[in-house]
Amino acid sequence: MVATALQGIDSQRVVYDEVLAARRPWSHVVERGQVLRIVDLGGNQAVDFLVYNADDYSERYSAPDTIRLQGNIFLTTGSRLYSNDGGVLMTIVGDSVGRHDTSGGACSCESNSVRFGLDKKYQHACVENFLAALSRYGMGKRDLVSNINFFMNVPVSRDGTLEIVDGISEPGSTVDLRAEMNALVVISNCPQMNNPCNGYNPTPIRLVIWAPPPPDPCR
Amino acid sequence: MVVTADDGIDPGLITWAETVPGGAYWSRKIKRGATLRIVDLEGGQGVSLLCYNADNPIERYNAADTVKIQFGIFLGVGKVLYSDMGRVLFSITGETTGGAFDTLGGASNPAGSTQKYGEGDWRDTRSNFINALAKHDLGKKDIMPNLNLFARVAVEEDGGLTFQERSKAGSTVDLRAEMNVLVVISNTPHVLHPSPTYQPTPVRVVVWNSPPPTSGDPCRTGCPEAVRGFENTDALFV
């Protein structure tokens, strides 16, 4: 199932390649021009994703601007991830799934207590992962904004009904993101196990970063 | 058309009433138990809203939790605005717009306003938020995805957005504070309002000491998620 994970990538250009265990946080600067591939190794795993301008953290992903400027609540190939300052942080240059969510946000201990029962407050949650990762960069709760959920299926009907339903990603599904500026990417490999977003079973993901080919010396 | 903003409110209970001009921002702390009514006096182009726990503004409105916990992007009577701490900031205890709430579209900004209206001294939502928040020692980091009142944005089957005109002159929204709430509104046109002309109109804001919720209050008892949200909220005050 991992055989396709590096499909289409020149292995000489890979600068990072790691497997991130289920439930874990991750962060890394993807330099302008580099491409990050997220591979859903087990299928149906939600990958909660935040991105900041690595040179100015006050510029960060804006879900409403991204939704509005694209005129669509789903992300797929060609979608740009807009910042709160109107910049483009990353562009989705490849996607084997077809749609990703940017309206459902992240699970937290507190929202788990409301959604699933007060006793669920002590389960691990994406916001805990985000806070742990952000603390390494001197950021905290004020720096959390609504995030992207790669591989997560959150349809909204015309009457406004919103549901988190079974994922549509399969083992080996990928999404490729090209950094349009130096981008600090923060990921929570979602631990949620109370609803279908992870098929009730969080699984690992693979993260691959590769660099663009150097400019043609003849040009 | 002149609308009586305090329809149905005992004048003795009103603690604040003010007309906010088109294009302006307004901010105030609303005490737990008091209700903020916003009246769209002339049927305008939208009002954008942010809100925070006034006693600890690191706790703020969370658009994603609000739609996810209540399984819907349109709000209405009986729905609540959740904070990012599993608590309730405001309950929607009354509204006459037929569900004109937008939880996805976000805020206008200077570049977008120039693109839409041409060169000019337009007031936009993001700039208004920054100025209003600065006066409470808050800033850019505290601007979260906001709620838009008197505007409705539907999602089509393919995920596309459609602006739906809903609000009429005299439409009202009543928000009961469930904790001490710092509220910020920007009375600026909705970022997806189709009019190419900048025409914000005044809104009326009225704050009154509304009756305490009854045991069968629909906002508090509508679903198990609401009950748990209020359990978390009430714990702040015991």
Side-chain angles (χ1 to χ4, degrees):
Chain A
M1 74 181 181
V2 190
T4 58
L6 296 176
Q7 198 168 12
I9 303 176
D10 176 356
S11 59
Q12 299 293 310
R13 308 222 166 276
V14 171
V15 297
Y16 183 97
D17 184 359
E18 297 288 340
V19 171
L20 178 66
R23 303 160 42 98
R24 296 296 300 160
W26 180 86
S27 62
H28 201 87
V29 173
V30 184
E31 292 174 17
R32 177 180 161 93
Q34 292 182 341
V35 180
L36 166 67
R37 173 170 292 179
I38 308 173
V39 187
D40 184 0
L41 293 175
N44 201 9
Q45 168 64 15
V47 177
D48 286 45
F49 180 101
L50 283 171
V51 54
Y52 301 78
N53 175 347
D55 301 314
D56 174 6
Y57 299 149
S58 78
E59 179 170 19
R60 67 271 311 263
Y61 175 67
S62 169
D65 287 293
T66 298
I67 289 171
R68 189 182 70 249
L69 290 167
Q70 250 133 206
N72 199 288
I73 62 165
F74 301 124
L75 304 177
T76 186
T77 306
S79 297
R80 295 166 168 185
L81 311 187
Y82 284 94
S83 78
N84 56 345
D85 289 339
V88 179
L89 291 151
M90 300 184 102
T91 303
I92 300 179
V93 293
D95 172 25
S96 71
V97 179
R99 61 157 68 162
H100 303 271
D101 165 65
T102 193
S103 53
C107 60
S108 68
C109 294
E110 293 78 13
S111 70
N112 282 347
S113 82
V114 175
R115 295 169 72 198
F116 306 117
L118 296 177
D119 60 322
K120 301 293 193 288
K121 181 173 149 188
Y122 296 101
Q123 290 179 349
H124 195 42
C126 282
V127 165
E128 306 294 302
N129 277 343
F130 280 153
L131 291 173
L134 289 174
S135 70
R136 297 178 208 142
Y137 304 92
M139 289 194 275
K141 186 169 175 298
R142 287 173 78 199
D143 301 289
L144 279 178
V145 286
S146 277
N147 57 284
I148 296 169
N149 295 301
F150 284 113
F151 308 116
M152 194 161 125
N153 190 13
V154 184
V156 176
S157 66
R158 204 160 195 281
D159 70 1
T161 306
L162 170 149
E163 287 178 286
I164 293 170
V165 296
D166 261 347
I168 52 174
S169 84
E170 298 171 343
S173 288
T174 60
V175 59
D176 291 349
L177 297 135
R178 184 178 65 216
E180 306 296 354
M181 57 178 84
N182 296 327
L184 170 63
V185 172
V186 178
I187 283 175
S188 167
N189 194 19
C190 185
Q192 184 58 259
M193 54 191 176
N194 295 292
N195 72 27
C197 73
N198 291 335
Y200 304 97
N201 177 34
T203 48
I205 58 172
R206 185 168 172 183
L207 298 158
V208 183
I209 301 172
W210 70 96
D216 184 338
C218 297
R219 298 185 57 152
Chain B
M1 174 178 170
V2 178
V3 175
T4 315
D6 53 356
D7 267 358
I9 304 176
D10 175 351
L13 298 178
I14 294 175
T15 57
W16 190 262
E18 184 176 356
T19 296
V20 181
Y25 62 84
W26 180 84
S27 166
R28 194 170 184 84
K29 289 181 183 172
I30 315 288
K31 275 198 311 194
R32 171 170 156 98
T35 295
L36 167 66
R37 171 173 294 180
I38 306 174
V39 189
D40 184 4
L41 292 173
E42 299 176 16
Q45 298 182 340
V47 170
S48 301
L49 180 145
L50 289 173
C51 52
Y52 305 79
N53 176 346
D55 300 323
N56 182 17
I58 193 81
E59 177 173 8
R60 61 275 307 268
Y61 170 66
N62 187 292
D65 281 353
T66 295
V67 301
K68 177 171 62 188
I69 291 171
Q70 299 179 108
F71 304 102
I73 60 165
F74 299 136
L75 307 177
V77 175
K79 302 282 190 183
V80 302
L81 309 191
Y82 279 98
S83 80
D84 57 5
M85 293 293 286
R87 293 188 276 248
V88 178
L89 288 149
F90 276 130
S91 289
I92 302 171
T93 53
E95 70 100 3
T96 65
T97 69
F101 295 87
D102 164 37
T103 48
L104 298 174
S108 60
N109 57 41
S113 296
T114 303
Q115 195 176 21
K116 188 171 178 180
Y117 305 118
E119 289 296 330
D121 190 19
W122 320 120
R123 304 284 293 274
D124 66 272
T125 304
R126 187 170 166 80
S127 305
N128 273 346
F129 281 161
I130 284 174
N131 285 1
L133 290 171
K135 295 173 183 178
H136 296 278
D137 202 20
L138 301 172
K140 186 176 162 186
K141 278 185 174 186
D142 303 291
I143 299 179
M144 293 292 124
N146 60 286
L147 175 65
N148 291 311
L149 304 173
F150 305 117
R152 184 170 160 115
V153 177
V155 176
E156 306 299 330
E157 201 169 328
D158 64 355
L161 306 178
T162 308
F163 186 88
Q164 299 177 332
E165 194 94 45
R166 281 286 181 110
S167 186
K168 296 185 169 56
S171 290
T172 62
V173 176
D174 287 354
L175 301 167
R176 184 178 67 211
E178 305 295 355
M179 60 175 80
N180 298 321
V181 177
L182 169 65
V183 63
V184 175
I185 64 172
S186 171
N187 185 17
T188 35
H190 187 276
V191 63
L192 290 175
H193 194 285
S195 171
T197 314
Y198 182 79
Q199 284 176 320
T201 54
V203 297
R204 184 92 175 148
V205 290
V206 184
V207 183
W208 84 98
N209 290 319
S210 49
T214 60
S215 60
D217 185 272
C219 296
R220 289 184 155 250
T221 59
C223 58
E225 290 85 357
V227 172
R228 291 192 287 264
F230 277 100
E231 205 165 327
N232 286 343
T233 310
D234 292 345
L236 278 178
F237 296 91
V238 293

